[in-house]
Amino acid sequence: MVESQADSDRSHNGSDSPLLPQNDFAGITQMFSSSIDKGTPQELLCQGYRRNTIKTCLSFTVTLFSAGFLQLVFYWRPDWRLKCTHTKATRKDMTAVLLTLVDTKEKFVATIQMIPQEKAMLMVRAYPNRLSQLNNGYNTLATQDLLVRAFIHHDTLYIWDESLHTFCHLRSLDKRATLEQIHQNSTAGLNEADVKNRYDLFGPNVITVRIPSNLYLLMSEILNPLYVFQLFAVIFWCFDEYYIYATAIFIISFLSAITSLIQVRRERVSLHDMVKYHNDITMKVQRQENGENLTKDVWGKELVPGDVIVIPQHGAQLACDVALVSGTCIVNESMLTGESVPITKTPLPRAESEMQNVYSADLHKRHTLFCGTEVLQTRFYPGELVKGVVVRTAYHTAKGQLVHSILYPKPVDMKLLRDAYRFIGVLFGIAVCGFIYTVVTQALKGETVKDILFNAIDLITISVPPALPLAMTIGIIYAQHRLKQQRIHCISPQRINISGQVDVVAFDKTGTLTEDGLDVATVVAVTPATDGADVASFDSEMSPENVATDLNDSMLGCMATCHTLTTIGGELAGDPLDVKMFEATGWELVEPSVADSEKYDQLHTTYVKPPKTNTGNTACVEDPDLRNIGITRQFPFSSSLQRASVIVKPMSSGPRDMVVYVKGAPETVAQMCLPTSLPSDFQKVLTKYTKQGFRMIAMATKKLTITWPKAQKIERTVVESELTFLGLMALQNKLKPESTKGLQVLHAANIRTLMVTGDNILTSLSVARESRMVQPHDEVLLASTTPPDGHQGATLTWTSSGCAKSKKQWKSNGSSTTYKFVIGEGPGKLANSPSISSEELSSDPSYVSVAMENQENWHLAVSGSDMEIIKTYFPEWVDVIATKGTVFARMSPEQKTDLMEDLEEVGYHVCMCGDGANDCGALKRAHTGISLSEYEASVAAPFTSHTELGIGCVPTLIREGRAALVTSFGMFKFMALYSIIQFCSITLLYNDVSSFSDLQFLYVDLIIIDLVAITMSRNHAHKHLYRKRPLSSLVSLEMLTSLMGQIVFQLAFQVAIFFWVKDQCWFTNLPPANVANATYNATTCPQVNNIPDQSQIENDQNVVLYQTTVVFFLSCFLYLSVSVAFSRGKPFRTSFYKNYAFVVSLLFLVACNLFLMFGAPLPLADFMQIRVIPDTMFLIWIVVFSVGHFVVSVCFEVGFVERPLVWEFLRGTRLYRACQRKENRRYVTIQRCLRDTSGHEGLTPFPFPVRDKVLVSEVFTPTPVHVKTRL
């Protein structure tokens, strides 16, 4: 395969080797197959095809003979069209590609197009960068072709990359240009030729959300397979003169299609309105015209990568992603992040050591203005402009990617729908059997070919009810309405059923489990080391009220200056943490009221000043202005660096005397401080506060002798080094009142909960314990990793949190080739063998279970950085962490998304609940995503809840999801039984060449079935969330047992009544017109005197027979019986008798049935072609039969199918295991193995020998080694 050749090329070239010319014929003679975006969730398998004339002609012929049906099949399956008209081809010959999404196996077809090499290589030549060519860009220099192959998939252009031997999506400056190239680009704008060429390559800067026409949407809906079958049934019924029901089904189906059309169009219009302003923005752009660099207004859609834009003084809406190269911008990114906190954006670094770094929007987001955000303020040097370089346009922008993920989401795993199609296939198979039986029996009876054909096809439309799709969605519609009443909005109704299968819920912490705001709880300053003290020491705690008056000047100065706050409309704006910290000082932020063009002038710098003090205060100096501190340069907070810093100049100091202040995560700041400035009990004090749930901020400082111009160019790494530690500040993030209650409800229902946050791991663990996500007596193991350093392999250490019994360590050391077993306590021991025998495990008591001495409730806590190392060097641990991990801290948005995938991989149905800030990817990736934010970032979340509900919306959604799932299952069983009952009725009657009349069919199909279907689904969700979970498969043994039992019962009752009626003395096979020819004995059968004259009734189809009427009466009751039997109540829904609409409907239908049997006037009976039964006692026996079936049917469901003890007993039998369909629930196996202390052999993927609570793992290449181990 070409892919293996590419891997070989990369391994030979290496990342440090120059691009080498490739053999132009390498892999050309092989059938093309390659991976695109390998290793990502969007990985595609690409296979090449070329047109085959013979296959195309054959397909065309079959299309003609099938009256176009083959083209309809090709519409449903484009990959079948490709395979039926093309053959696999080499790269040189392929004209189309088959794309398979590796994750979901979804298939797409794209047509190959040829573009000029000059066009394809435009950006590679404009921004030559060896690293980006090797790893992130496309390179066609190695081939001599004048044309390059490309294709478009989901509005993304993919171009052939000769060096990687695969297709790569088109890139602009992101992950291609170096910082030096971007700065050089900003000195002069693009010329006309560059603009034209780049516009031709990238297209207009437009985020296109096409709103399909109503006709197109309607046709797309109608061409759904089920709607096609409905259309076929309607046409057939019209030919069969069954006009009324055909019209009713047509109207219902049409209204259903229109409703779906309106919903899809409304969503598209909403999305279109969200991005339409993007296409109508004008921006000032610097471009070269006639050799001059001019600034002019350009429509946003005409921008191209590399354009130099000028940000106006009053701010602007951004129509593209821009790398800021000069000036500072204060930006509102709430459109993307969900956070309405203004963010300060600074220019790209100019330090020489960073100039060769490749620009990345992810790594340089503090210097990037994203599309869709709003610039509130700008600041710049005198005589300079706030400028930026366009790095991404259209769908490549941050907002474009968000819209793209909404337009082309990952398909929902609609297991219920798949099972429904499978079961419909079974019904269709039954229909085919009935078709054959009907043809044979009626042919033997001498029926005409037309009648035989019509009757046989009619049996198919009976067996597969056309109203099934509508009936299946009724429960979801009701559930969506109930959710809306509870202020939970749903934009993806099909996910409601999936939410009923949720067994793990992941919560964001800040804003979801805890309050948004932070409060300063305490400040702990440090007394530096002096002659009298060798090491620094912590002072006593200081309350927030005393900070402004009692805190030392250095720490007070750090709190007052180390931030990116600004004033907008006279109000402080910025990060809530910065606001709280600054407000605690009591100082005032002063931004000189001068022109924007002067705000960067060193004479008019932003500064902070202390509060006015009383003259009696000893802290007062003669000139209060001397205590003012000017802010010289800011290094904004970076999540990757986990710190922020600032260079300031106290007004009382000399011209070159400046001070550096740094604040950030304590672990990070401590590493940059001088060891002598750190108190010896630093870690102990930090742990004390983090375990109490405080968010900890460390502060440090150092003096700097530097001029003001050099301060603007100094590297950040130089500034943030050799610091003096100042102290710690604890901020409290209070738990929401509803969080604990919501988690208790989920735990009571045996639904696993976990926390995914960007906060400190110990703080997160404290919140987990406070909220009872982790119980007080539960053990928690904290992960700690180190990457390989050339001397030893990577290490993975699990340390007890210290809050439970054990405080020992489990440690796993790894090298590249062998296992190394390390003793955590004791003299230590090395085992060179890659396995430990089970005999050694059983004989040595020091080997203990992973289950922590049989303690079942234990948890793992992992940080994002540790998780990355674990995935790279200890991948065998990923499934265990996905199964036992509870706290995931310092997680980036991408890591949150990856965690959703890891949980899904082990078989969980995942619900993600976040506030929309940095949770969008996870909200979209989870089976069920609930956003507690109403910002634009959460527009892709399937569910959005009102923020006042907190996480209380999660149990509500799961309850409604379970109710909707059970309703869908019950409705499916009812519709299946409806078709089977009617199928059996008609099959029995076909023995006598009879059937129901059209009006009898209409009464059943339109009145009974539709009324029951509409009201049967109105049961509300049960008010409690129970541990028991609903079935998740339509083809489970419980479902099949229920259906088969009900089929047998109804068939037995129908067969019994069918043959019993023929034994009655008044029975005759003659139609009413010939009843005079019948022979009766009035003496022995007095009922014949009650036979009315129905000789005038129309009986063309031989439907007015006694057996037809009797079967019709009984079947009308059978439908009602099974509807009650399938109306399951507790534990997922309220009892059926609380569904008042359903009860009233049942009573009404029972009354109608009894009226037709006992009280229908003769004209009505003649109109419906009902043969009047002369024996009242026999009619009573029909009612008795109906009651008997009702009792048997309901008792079977309640007493057998819905009894958990029955299935618990059967679950261990071979029959159950043989019939039960296997599901991906690997987490159950992992949990069982982790609890089992009996020892197992060859268990993968967790070969974890344990000794003295020391877990042993490995860093392995190329494959994991299977070990015998005790788990």
Side-chain angles (χ1 to χ4, degrees), residues 8-149:
S8 176
D9 291 342
R10 286 193 291 272
S11 64
H12 283 86
N13 290 341
S15 59
D16 296 326
S17 302
L19 281 175
L20 300 176
Q22 305 293 322
N23 183 354
D24 193 36
F25 298 97
I28 289 179
T29 59
Q30 299 177 358
M31 298 299 102
F32 177 77
S33 180
S34 180
S35 292
I36 302 175
D37 293 333
K38 192 171 184 179
T40 69
Q42 295 78 33
E43 181 179 352
L44 293 167
L45 176 63
C46 179
Q47 295 174 297
Y49 284 82
R50 63 178 175 84
R51 175 76 67 175
N52 184 295
T53 305
I54 297 177
K55 282 187 172 184
T56 302
C57 292
L58 287 175
S59 298
F60 180 74
T61 303
V62 175
T63 299
L64 291 179
F65 280 99
S66 64
F69 181 74
L70 182 62
Q71 292 300 315
L72 187 60
V73 174
F74 286 163
Y75 171 79
W76 295 330
R77 293 296 302 268
D79 56 314
W80 290 3
R81 179 199 298 272
L82 183 71
K83 293 178 180 179
C84 290
T85 57
H86 292 65
T87 55
K88 288 187 176 182
T90 63
R91 176 170 60 84
K92 287 292 186 181
D93 297 331
M94 63 184 183
T95 58
V97 290
L98 176 63
L99 305 172
T100 305
L101 191 60
V102 174
D103 196 15
T104 62
K105 308 304 179 186
E106 190 178 10
K107 298 183 184 298
F108 309 92
V109 175
T111 303
I112 291 292
Q113 54 181 274
M114 308 298 291
I115 62 176
Q117 185 191 91
E118 190 69 24
K119 179 179 178 180
M121 293 301 302
L122 181 65
M123 300 304 290
V124 176
R125 289 169 175 159
Y127 301 94
N129 173 31
R130 174 176 51 83
L131 183 62
S132 64
Q133 289 173 4
L134 281 172
N135 300 325
N136 298 308
Y138 48 85
N139 172 38
T140 60
L141 289 173
T143 179
Q144 301 302 317
D145 294 340
L146 297 179
L147 296 176
V148 179
R149 286 164 178 80

Side-chain angles (χ1 to χ4, degrees), residues 1091-1194:
I1091 298 176
D1093 181 13
Q1094 294 183 286
S1095 58
Q1096 303 302 319
I1097 193 172
E1098 184 179 345
N1099 191 28
D1100 295 340
Q1101 303 296 326
N1102 194 33
V1103 298
V1104 191
L1105 299 178
Y1106 283 121
Q1107 60 267 41
T1108 303
T1109 299
V1110 169
V1111 171
F1112 168 70
F1113 284 156
L1114 179 62
S1115 66
C1116 289
F1117 286 104
L1118 297 185
Y1119 301 127
L1120 305 183
S1121 298
V1122 295
S1123 70
V1124 175
F1126 295 150
S1127 294
R1128 187 174 187 176
K1130 189 177 179 181
F1132 308 115
R1133 305 193 304 170
T1134 55
S1135 300
F1136 88 94
Y1137 57 81
K1138 293 185 178 180
N1139 184 352
Y1140 302 119
F1142 180 50
V1143 172
V1144 171
S1145 299
L1146 289 177
L1147 295 176
F1148 171 75
L1149 293 173
V1150 168
C1152 290
N1153 292 343
L1154 294 176
F1155 173 74
L1156 290 177
M1157 292 173 61
F1158 295 99
L1162 188 59
L1164 178 61
D1166 291 347
F1167 177 70
M1168 294 189 64
Q1169 296 178 296
I1170 294 175
R1171 187 76 172 266
V1172 177
I1173 305 298
D1175 188 356
T1176 303
M1177 193 62 198
F1178 189 81
L1179 293 175
I1180 295 175
W1181 274 111
I1182 295 177
V1183 176
V1184 172
F1185 267 65
S1186 302
V1187 173
H1189 176 267
F1190 173 81
V1191 173
V1192 171
S1193 177
V1194 173

Side-chain angles (χ1 to χ4, degrees), residues 349-351 381 600 602 605 630-635 645-649 655-660 704-719:
R350 289 181 176 270
Y381 299 115
Y600 254 139
Q602 56 181 323
T605 185
I631 299 175
T632 302
R633 187 180 178 190
Q634 296 170 323
F635 296 96
S645 58
V646 64
I647 302 176
V648 302
K649 183 184 181 303
R656 299 183 61 194
D657 296 332
M658 297 193 184
V659 180
V660 173
L704 195 65
T705 303
I706 192 174
T707 62
W708 189 90
K710 288 185 177 181
Q712 305 304 316
K713 299 179 181 180
I714 191 171
E715 295 183 16
R716 183 168 187 169
T717 54
V718 175
V719 173

Side-chain angles (χ1 to χ4, degrees), residues 477-516:
I477 294 172
Y478 286 141
Q480 185 178 10
H481 178 69
R482 291 195 297 268
L483 285 172
K484 188 175 181 179
Q485 290 180 326
Q486 299 178 74
R487 296 187 294 178
I488 301 175
H489 301 279
C490 173
I491 64 172
S492 182
Q494 67 269 25
R495 300 248 187 171
I496 296 179
N497 275 342
I498 298 178
S499 65
Q501 304 176 41
V502 165
D503 42 24
V504 60
V505 183
F507 292 99
D508 179 40
K509 183 179 76 70
T510 306
T512 302
L513 292 173
T514 61
E515 300 287 354
D516 283 318

